[in-house]
Structures are given as C-alpha cells and as structure tokens.
Amino acid sequence: MKLTITDVAEKAGVSKATISRYLNGRFEHMSATTKAHIAAVIAELNYTPSPQASSLKTNRSHLIGVVVADISNIYSTLLISGINKVTQQSMDQILINDAANDLKSEAKALEMLLSMNVDGIIMQPLSPVAHHYDLIRDSQTPMVLVDRITRPLTWPTVTADDYRSTAKLAQAILNSHYEDILILINPIAQISTRQSRYQAFVDTFKKTPTTVTLLETDNDSITPLANWITAHPQKHPLIFAGNGRLLMATLRWLHDKGLRIPQDVALSGYDDWDWAELVTPGISAVSQHPDVIGQTAAELLAQQIAGEPVAVQRMEIPADVRIRSSF
Amino acid sequence: MKLTITDVAEKAGVSKATISRYLNGRFEHMSATTKAHIAAVIAELNYTPSPQASSLKTNRSHLIGVVVADISNIYSTLLISGINKVTQQSMDQILINDAANDLKSEAKALEMLLSMNVDGIIMQPLSPVAHHYDLIRDSQTPMVLVDRITRPLTWPTVTADDYRSTAKLAQAILNSHYEDILILINPIAQISTRQSRYQAFVDTFKKTPTTVTLLETDNDSITPLANWITAHPQKHPLIFAGNGRLLMATLRWLHDKGLRIPQDVALSGYDDWDWAELVTPGISAVSQHPDVIGQTAAELLAQQIAGEPVAVQRMEIPADVRIRSSF
DNA sequence: ATGAAAGCGCTAACAT
DNA sequence: ATGTTAGCGCTTTCAT
C-alpha cells in the first residue's frame, strides 16, 4: 500500500504540517533533532510524497508540456533530448504531445496540457499566427516557442539562424555558377523558417544571372521537382531541399532515376543528421542543433516559471554549414 | 481563472455529484433533459475537469511512464511515436524518462514514475535481470518491457525477432563465401538482443569454413574493428555492425580510410533507418519496426491496466531484411 | 433521478 | 518550534 504523509507523521510522532515543512525544505524553525528524526523515518519507510496531491494545493504540477509538429521526425528526438537535460535537473516531468502536422490535433494537445495544469509549455508551432494560441495567453501558462516563429511576437522563441546559415550555403553555391537553382520546400506562406531559407537564396542570387525557382510541395512530396527535371532534361540545376525529409526523398529519387550527383544535378539541403556525409559524394547541407534549441528553450521556460522576467524575443542558435562535394 | 466542477454545478443548477456522473458517462439514472443541459453548460463554459483532482480519489492518473535506454537514439522516437498512437486514443499522457544507459538514472526514473502514480510503465530495460526491477512488481504497477528481455520472464515483453531476422541476413551472406565475419557489437553478456544477433551468425556458419569473430565494444566505439582491420590488411572480411550507431560509425571509418565497399570490406548491420539504401553501394541491413513494437506494448499495457489478463510472454515483431549491394 | 457530505494526500494560514 | 484546521477539485457512498 502506498504510504501517505499521515503515516509518516504518525510514525515520527509529529504533525503532518511538520512533515510537509520538512518535505519542502522549510527548516527555518525546525529543531535539528526533529529534522534528523523525520529524515530517518522517511528513509526507513521509503516514503515519496504524491505530486498530484501537492499540486492540487500549490497549483504547481511540475509538469512541462511539449508539443512537437511531427513526432516521427528526428528533429523531435533531438529537441526532447535537449529539453530533458534541464527538466531532469529540476525534477520536472515532460508531457510529450504530437501535433501530427495537423492544427486540430495541435489544438487538442494544447487543451489537454492546459487541463493537466502544466507549469509551462514548449511548442513547435504549426501556425504562424500568434492569435491562434490565445488560449495559452489567456490561461497565463508560460510558453516558449521553438523552431518557428509566430506573429506578432508574443512568446520567447528559440530557432536556428535559418537565414544566416542558408545564406552561407548559398554563398558557397554562388561560386559554382549554376544557371538554375531549384528550391524545393513545403508551403512557405505558413512557416517562418521556410521563408527565411527561401529568402536567403533569393537575396544571394539577386544580382546574378542565376534563376532561383521556388518549387512548393506538400507533405514532403517531390513531385514538383520530378516534373521540373523531366521537363528540362538538358538543364543542370542545383537543388536545395528545404528540410531533411525532402533532402532524403530527393536523393532517393535521383538514385532511382540514375541521375548522378553532381554531374547531372547538384544537390544541397537543410538538415543533415549525420548521414549526409556518408552518401556518396557527400551532400552539402546546413546542420542545425535541435538539442541546443531544446535546452535553451527549457531554460527560458524554467526562468519564466520561477517568475523571473524573460524577454519576449527571438533567440537564434547558430547552425553549421557543411560543404561537401555535391555541387 | 480556471473553472471547477463547482462552477459548472452552480451554473447548471445541479449538484457536483450530478456533474461528476455526467463527466464519467454514468447516464443510467439521469434524465435526458439534465444531461442535455449539463452538456450545454459545459460547452458554454468550455470547462475541462482536472485529472489530478480526480486522480486523487480514483487512484488512476491516466499517466503512462516510458523509460527509454537512450533518448538520443532514433529508436526512442519511433517507439514513442508508436506508443503515442494508442495513448492518444485513450486520452492518456505519456511521461518520457531517459535512462541514459545508466542503471542509476534508470532506477531514479522508475522511482520518479512510481511516485507520480503512473497507471503503467513501458520500459526498454538496461538490466537483463528481472530481480533488478522488483520495486515495480512490489508496487503492483503494470509494466510491459520492450526491445530487450529480462530473466526470469516476469513481464510481457515485445521485441523484434532478432534471431530469426539476423539469421536470414546471415543466410544471404552465406552464399557469398566470406572467410572472415566480424561481429561488432556492444557487450553481449548484458543484453538479450545482442546475444541473439551474435548467436544467429554463429549458428548459421557453424558447419562452414568461415570464421565468425566477436568484436565486443563499448559506447558504440569502433576501435576493436579498426584494430582488427589494421592488423589484417590482406584480409577481405565481412562486417556485421550490431546496431545503427555502430553501422554508421563503421561506415564513416571505412570512408575516412578510403576502404571501398564491398571491394575492400563487405558490410552489413542491424537497424537501418531508411538511410542505408542511400549510401553507395546500398548497405544490406536488418530493419526493425520500433513503432509497431511501441504500439503493441501500449496495447498490452492498456489491457493490463483495464484489468484484463495479459500473458507474461515474449512477443516478437518481425523485422525486415533488406539485401542491397554491400557484400 | 439527484443531492449531501466525507475524504483522497497534501499545503498554508493561523494558532499556540 | 510545532500543531490545528480548512480547503485544493474531484468521486462516491448513502440518502431522499
């Protein structure tokens, strides 16, 4: 049977209040003897207090909600692993929820978390409009956004430095003088990071003869790319795949078609989870650090929960640009 | 301000008890009018009950604890994603904990989960000895093990069919007549799956002239392999890397050394998260399905929690063997 | 068909 | 320095 604070109090011959004080580290007015005695009794009984009971009174659940856009994406693991580093320290538990790239699911996840009375939320938002998340603001629950920004800026946000890192990659491509650059990316209207990645290319090639073509796609499908390449068999384009899944899908398609990299088409992309270098001839890519993003977000959230002021601003975690031999 | 059941009761002009009955779907003795009325009020107020308060009374937390061996491993995401599929349905929340490949951390995670009063636990155990987890048995908390077994068999366990799938791969290798097979794997004494993978090779090549060499390593280091290859420059071995990380590390090392696959060394491994085919020349590997394992485990756990009897046995989820061109 | 009241394990005034 | 007591939001007998 699970022990309660009453059991401990009886065994120790003191009141529940004293035990409670002990548990919460309020020793200011406690005699050293009772303190030691309580410690001994707790150790002997191997008693652990019930967080839910305490939560009921204190309104602090020691639960952190995490909502990821798509849990099957590697980004999620890395992000969670980073968050975990700090919650482990603070003895908080994380509640993982998957939005499955669906606004309805995301909303449900958020409601769930609120009803669970989480102390704070870390979310990789699906919607770019802050308004969409008014219920969080209304509930007064601290939140930190990761990976994508939301307008107007309402919560502290931690992302990669998409624009800067992509521009760096674009700069490297500049020297190779491609006629056509194909940006294969999910709909950019929605997501800030996608816009930045596209814009970095546009800006870099603005005053060059290079044509930058935007190929918007859905659900990481590469059909628009396949169509373009099939329609322009004589061209020798450079492809920039806007995320890891697209990069992988593109690679697989080129493979199937027997197209050689970089002889037939050149390739580059965003996100490389260590495998891009293993693929012959080594894919040049931007490599971000979701674990650092997660850790930073968790620290920011912890501050907010502790009542310390946190600036509502975007923090950018630098990504690495790894140039290999794919263009 | 957060609404309580009392607010709803007042607004609806009925007692808390009636609201509670409504919330728990006990309509047997409820007039259709009050039922409809309560529904309307709840919708209007947008009320959501507090799980922790209810948990206090019912002893059901709707929390499922998940302990993974190493959260930064892709296996974890896939596993969680599978678990998530079923917990989403049942409105349960999952509490992810990382054992970080460390028995002390694992024990702490388990204690944490017990004190959180979780309804059940899904664990990828670090220790092969069931005794190690007696505190779970003592606490009467339902548990399902995944990925690795524990002796004696104490909990329902869901794993891949390590032996069978590895044997299938070994069989394919058999026809290529290698003189030396190097099994690179983390310490096999500890983990059941590792033993099975090794044993599958030993058994397959028992009556052949092929030598099967066990190269035990630690922390996914490839030093033992590097040493062997350096020491036998004239040989043309086939390597079997016991997990995805080792496979990747091996690949990277061969790359660095300029060793060609399969001309200089042949390669194969366990775990392929879709990238193995993209690496030239396409790595032959066993591909397991952690998401299915997770889903199955979660279903088993749900049954146990519901009080339905669940057989204490090992369930094997078939892995795929993907033969490509690396040997 | 519905309500009153006690209590789940804990915390926090307010006593003493 | 420690105890008493009244809840936190919900469920559940037992009444009516």
Side-chain angles (χ1 to χ4, degrees):
Chain A
M1 202 36 228
K2 187 93 169 79
L3 294 165
T4 79
I5 200 175
T6 312
D7 300 322
V8 181
E10 277 177 8
K11 175 101 180 173
V14 298
S15 77
K16 295 194 303 175
T18 306
I19 306 293
S20 176
R21 288 193 192 97
Y22 176 89
L23 291 173
N24 294 290
R26 282 201 288 276
F27 308 124
E28 309 98 49
H29 309 292
M30 196 179 296
S31 77
T33 34
T34 36
K35 179 174 164 185
H37 184 218
I38 292 176
V41 172
I42 288 183
E44 187 194 339
L45 260 36
N46 197 15
Y47 162 76
T48 53
S50 152
Q52 14 237 18
S54 115
S55 152
L56 209 51
K57 205 54 207 179
T58 60
N59 232 15
R60 278 268 269 139
S61 61
H62 287 278
L63 255 25
I64 304 290
V66 177
V67 184
V68 294
D70 174 11
I71 201 171
S72 64
N73 198 307
I74 308 183
Y75 189 94
S76 310
T77 324
L78 270 15
L79 182 76
I80 293 169
S81 153
I83 296 172
N84 198 56
K85 254 184 232 160
V86 356
T87 53
Q88 207 134 58
Q89 232 88 55
S90 58
M91 298 289 282
D92 290 330
Q93 283 288 329
I94 55 184
L95 255 24
I96 309 288
N97 278 69
D98 182 21
N101 282 323
D102 173 64
L103 276 172
K104 289 252 175 273
S105 308
E106 188 187 58
K108 247 179 51 186
L110 252 16
E111 276 175 36
M112 180 92 243
L113 291 178
L114 288 184
S115 84
M116 292 290 282
N117 199 24
V118 292
D119 293 340
I121 295 177
I122 293 175
M123 169 168 70
Q124 179 185 18
L126 251 31
S127 164
V129 359
H131 236 56
H132 200 102
Y133 305 111
D134 276 353
L135 78 161
I136 306 294
R137 214 183 9 63
D138 296 347
S139 76
Q140 313 251 45
T141 307
M143 177 158 80
V144 174
L145 263 24
V146 291
D147 190 38
R148 283 112 89 127
I149 64 171
T150 256
R151 293 284 180 203
L153 208 57
T154 309
W155 294 276
T157 305
V158 186
T159 71
D161 61 342
D162 295 274
Y163 185 87
R164 219 170 331 172
S165 52
T166 309
K168 220 191 264 175
L169 176 67
Q171 200 61 41
I173 293 171
L174 193 56
N175 305 320
S176 305
H177 306 288
Y178 283 89
E179 247 181 40
D180 287 283
I181 291 185
L182 308 177
I183 310 288
L184 180 64
I185 204 162
N186 287 315
I188 66 168
Q190 302 300 332
I191 308 292
S192 60
T193 52
R194 295 176 193 159
Q195 285 170 346
S196 304
R197 294 173 197 177
Y198 174 57
Q199 200 57 44
F201 269 93
V202 170
D203 293 352
T204 304
F205 290 94
K206 183 165 282 172
K207 296 177 178 167
T208 73
T210 302
T211 311
V212 175
T213 306
L214 176 63
L215 261 29
E216 282 188 288
T217 185
D218 249 325
N219 301 319
D220 299 330
S221 147
I222 55 155
T223 311
L225 175 70
N227 290 343
W228 195 97
I229 291 187
T230 312
H232 304 81
Q234 76 295 355
K235 299 255 191 174
H236 182 215
L238 176 137
I239 303 165
F240 171 80
N243 70 46
R245 302 256 264 244
L246 281 171
L247 182 52
M248 199 132 133
T250 302
L251 207 45
R252 183 167 295 126
W253 187 79
L254 295 175
H255 235 253
D256 287 353
K257 293 295 166 195
L259 261 22
R260 294 160 308 164
I261 306 169
Q263 295 92 329
D264 301 323
V265 287
L267 184 59
S268 68
Y270 205 99
D271 285 350
D272 113 310
W273 317 120
D274 290 333
W275 52 265
E277 68 165 299
L278 299 175
V279 176
T280 315
I283 308 299
S284 300
V286 177
S287 170
Q288 54 176 331
H289 301 290
D291 52 336
V292 181
I293 293 179
Q295 191 175 343
T296 309
E299 282 160 0
L300 250 28
L301 187 64
Q303 284 179 35
Q304 267 187 269
I305 293 175
E308 300 164 28
V310 170
V312 173
Q313 60 175 29
R314 175 180 187 173
M315 281 190 63
E316 300 199 351
I317 305 296
D320 294 334
V321 177
R322 317 236 245 234
I323 304 300
R324 294 189 268 245
S325 320
S326 61
F327 59 78
Chain B
M1 202 35 230
K2 186 91 171 78
L3 295 164
T4 76
I5 200 173
T6 312
D7 301 321
V8 181
E10 277 176 8
K11 174 100 180 174
V14 297
S15 75
K16 298 194 301 176
T18 307
I19 305 294
S20 176
R21 288 194 191 96
Y22 176 88
L23 292 173
N24 295 290
R26 281 201 288 276
F27 308 125
E28 308 98 49
H29 309 292
M30 196 179 296
S31 79
T33 34
T34 36
K35 178 174 164 182
H37 184 219
I38 292 177
V41 171
I42 286 183
E44 188 194 338
L45 261 34
N46 198 15
Y47 163 76
T48 51
S50 152
Q52 13 236 19
S54 111
S55 150
L56 208 51
K57 220 25 219 187
T58 60
N59 231 14
R60 277 269 269 139
S61 61
H62 287 278
L63 255 24
I64 303 291
V66 177
V67 184
V68 295
D70 173 11
I71 201 170
S72 65
N73 197 308
I74 308 181
Y75 189 94
S76 309
T77 324
L78 268 16
L79 182 76
I80 293 169
S81 154
I83 295 173
N84 200 54
K85 252 183 233 158
V86 355
T87 54
Q88 208 134 58
Q89 232 87 54
S90 58
M91 298 287 283
D92 290 331
Q93 284 288 331
I94 55 184
L95 254 25
I96 311 289
N97 278 70
D98 181 21
N101 283 324
D102 172 63
L103 277 172
K104 288 253 176 271
S105 309
E106 187 187 60
K108 249 179 50 185
L110 253 15
E111 276 175 36
M112 178 93 243
L113 291 177
L114 288 184
S115 85
M116 292 290 283
N117 199 24
V118 293
D119 294 340
I121 294 177
I122 294 175
M123 167 169 70
Q124 181 185 17
L126 251 31
S127 164
V129 0
H131 236 55
H132 200 103
Y133 304 111
D134 277 352
L135 78 162
I136 306 293
R137 214 185 6 66
D138 295 348
S139 76
Q140 312 253 43
T141 308
M143 178 158 80
V144 174
L145 263 23
V146 290
D147 189 41
R148 283 113 88 128
I149 64 171
T150 255
R151 294 284 180 200
L153 209 56
T154 310
W155 294 278
T157 305
V158 187
T159 71
D161 62 341
D162 296 272
Y163 185 88
R164 220 169 332 171
S165 52
T166 309
K168 222 193 257 172
L169 176 67
Q171 200 61 41
I173 292 170
L174 192 58
N175 304 321
S176 306
H177 305 288
Y178 284 89
E179 246 181 42
D180 288 282
I181 291 184
L182 308 177
I183 310 289
L184 180 64
I185 203 160
N186 288 314
I188 66 168
Q190 301 300 331
I191 309 292
S192 60
T193 52
R194 296 177 193 158
Q195 286 170 347
S196 303
R197 294 173 198 177
Y198 173 59
Q199 199 57 44
F201 269 92
V202 170
D203 292 352
T204 304
F205 290 94
K206 180 165 283 170
K207 295 177 178 167
T208 73
T210 302
T211 311
V212 175
T213 306
L214 175 63
L215 261 27
E216 282 188 289
T217 184
D218 249 323
N219 301 319
D220 298 332
S221 146
I222 55 154
T223 311
L225 176 69
N227 289 345
W228 195 97
I229 292 188
T230 312
H232 304 81
Q234 77 296 353
K235 297 255 190 175
H236 181 216
L238 176 138
I239 303 164
F240 171 80
N243 69 47
R245 302 257 263 244
L246 280 171
L247 182 52
M248 199 132 131
T250 302
L251 208 45
R252 183 166 296 125
W253 186 80
L254 295 175
H255 236 254
D256 288 352
K257 293 294 165 197
L259 260 23
R260 294 161 308 165
I261 306 168
Q263 295 90 331
D264 302 322
V265 287
L267 184 60
S268 69
Y270 205 99
D271 284 350
D272 113 311
W273 317 120
D274 288 335
W275 52 264
E277 69 166 297
L278 299 174
V279 176
T280 319
I283 308 300
S284 300
V286 177
S287 171
Q288 54 174 331
H289 302 290
D291 53 335
V292 181
I293 293 179
Q295 191 174 342
T296 309
E299 283 161 358
L300 249 28
L301 187 63
Q303 284 180 34
Q304 267 187 272
I305 294 175
E308 300 164 28
V310 169
V312 174
Q313 60 175 30
R314 174 179 188 173
M315 281 191 62
E316 300 199 353
I317 306 296
D320 294 335
V321 177
R322 316 235 244 235
I323 303 300
R324 294 190 269 244
S325 319
S326 61
F327 60 77

